[in-house]
Amino acid sequence: MLFRPGGRWLRPLSVLPLGARDPPLVRASAGGIQRSAPPVWAAASVSAVASGGPGSWYEALATSAPVQGTEEALLGVHSATGLPWWACIGLSTVALRGAVTLPLAAYQHYILAKVENLQPEIKSIARHLNQEVTVRANQLRWSKRVARLTYLKNMRRLVSELYVRDNCHPFKATVLVWIQFPMWIFMSVALRNFSTGATHSEGFSVQEQLAADGILWFPDLTALDSTWILPISVGIINLLIVEIFALQKIGMSRFQTYVTYFVRAVSLLMIPVAATVPSSIVLYWLCSSLLGLSQNLLLRSPRFRRLCRIPLTKSDSDTPYKDLLAAFYAKFISRK
């Protein structure tokens, strides 16, 4: 029996027991602060386990090639621009976000949009596949367990073929995380090396420069922010990013709900952590979070999405910012 979900003819099922080398049940077409030095515990808070000596894992990370490369890049920006260190940190963050993170985030949305557009076809195939497995299970007197496992095995194969056909495997959407997180780690460790005097440039101490190149209430970038303004700001911005993500998801699965709660907890945990590291690091975290928030909002713009050639989906809105404000009001204000 042939069926034609999504407008494509698929060959009939050939269901065999799980132990046999069964062919695919369904085949889809494959076409296509005066400065006082921070206490030892504070200076080492980013690497609480670094007390293991020169052979510790943190020592290896702090002296690794990526971290040294990041230090050289930061020194290059400072030397080329002549800006104070607080501005260099901000400028470097903008450059990294604009040149690396934003394109990858747009690519992530591109992949996710294609996956979303595949869902109707996947649901249609799943429905027909379930019918075919039910008929074959009755004919061959399979148990419910065998029928269920056979269905899942063949459905995984089918979905994989669809992802290959449209070149949109969901794993590609994780590239952003695998690049952004290490980049965040390398920048944080490089700034810690600067702030604790672990790095010296030719003829001057980077630590001494950072101690005099702060701004506003944190004139010393090697000291802790005793006012807690920077740490609390980091936590609030990160929470705002999480809530924006949650508001745009309707009917989240249990797993997505658990992940959302976990990220909320991490955002709150970042506040006391940020209060124990030099202000240079917290300034970078704050700049990165602010740019991340701006990036998330930008990627909701229909015009920007068209510019990035992100496919239209059923969940797209012509007024995303108005919808976001309405959802925020309904969740946090009107219910009170």
Side-chain angles (χ1 to χ4, degrees), residues 126 129-130 133 146-156:
L129 178 61
N130 186 56
V133 170
V146 171
R148 182 63 178 169
L149 291 176
T150 303
Y151 168 82
L152 293 175
K153 178 181 179 180
N154 286 274
M155 193 64 200
R156 282 194 297 267

Side-chain angles (χ1 to χ4, degrees), residues 12-75:
L13 288 173
S14 177
V15 183
L16 297 176
L18 287 174
R21 296 182 59 187
D22 51 309
L25 290 182
V26 181
R27 295 283 298 184
S29 173
I33 289 173
Q34 191 172 19
R35 180 176 75 89
S36 59
V40 174
W41 63 269
S45 61
V46 178
S47 57
V49 298
S51 57
S56 67
W57 67 267
Y58 181 81
E59 191 68 24
L61 173 62
T63 58
S64 65
V67 172
Q68 291 179 350
T70 304
E71 293 173 358
E72 291 297 327
L74 288 170
L75 290 170

Side-chain angles (χ1 to χ4, degrees), residues 120-158:
E121 184 176 355
I122 290 175
K123 290 179 180 179
S124 177
I125 294 176
R127 183 173 62 254
H128 287 280
L129 178 61
N130 186 56
Q131 293 173 356
E132 294 284 350
V133 170
T134 300
V135 171
R136 193 57 57 88
N138 290 333
Q139 292 174 347
L140 301 179
R141 303 191 180 206
W142 289 347
S143 66
K144 291 183 178 180
R145 178 178 177 275
V146 171
R148 182 63 178 169
L149 291 176
T150 303
Y151 168 82
L152 293 175
K153 178 181 179 180
N154 286 274
M155 193 64 200
R156 282 194 297 267
R157 182 186 291 114
L158 169 62

Side-chain angles (χ1 to χ4, degrees), residues 218-277:
F218 51 101
D220 184 352
L221 290 174
T222 67
L224 313 182
D225 182 7
S226 60
T227 67
W228 281 58
I229 295 177
L230 288 176
I232 292 175
S233 299
V234 169
I236 291 175
I237 298 299
N238 287 334
L239 275 176
L240 191 55
I241 294 173
V242 175
E243 295 309 322
I244 289 176
F245 172 81
L247 287 174
Q248 68 184 3
K249 294 293 182 180
I250 300 176
M252 288 194 300
S253 65
R254 181 177 297 181
F255 176 75
Q256 289 176 321
T257 302
Y258 289 155
V259 169
T260 302
Y261 279 117
F262 174 75
V263 178
R264 284 176 180 146
V266 171
S267 299
L268 292 174
L269 184 61
M270 284 295 293
I271 297 177
V273 172
T276 63
V277 298

Side-chain angles (χ1 to χ4, degrees), residues 258-298:
Y258 289 155
V259 169
T260 302
Y261 279 117
F262 174 75
V263 178
R264 284 176 180 146
V266 171
S267 299
L268 292 174
L269 184 61
M270 284 295 293
I271 297 177
V273 172
T276 63
V277 298
S279 297
S280 59
I281 301 176
V282 192
L283 177 62
Y284 164 63
W285 292 354
L286 179 60
C287 292
S288 182
S289 296
L290 283 170
L291 289 169
L293 175 62
S294 302
Q295 172 182 291
N296 287 339
L297 293 174
L298 179 62

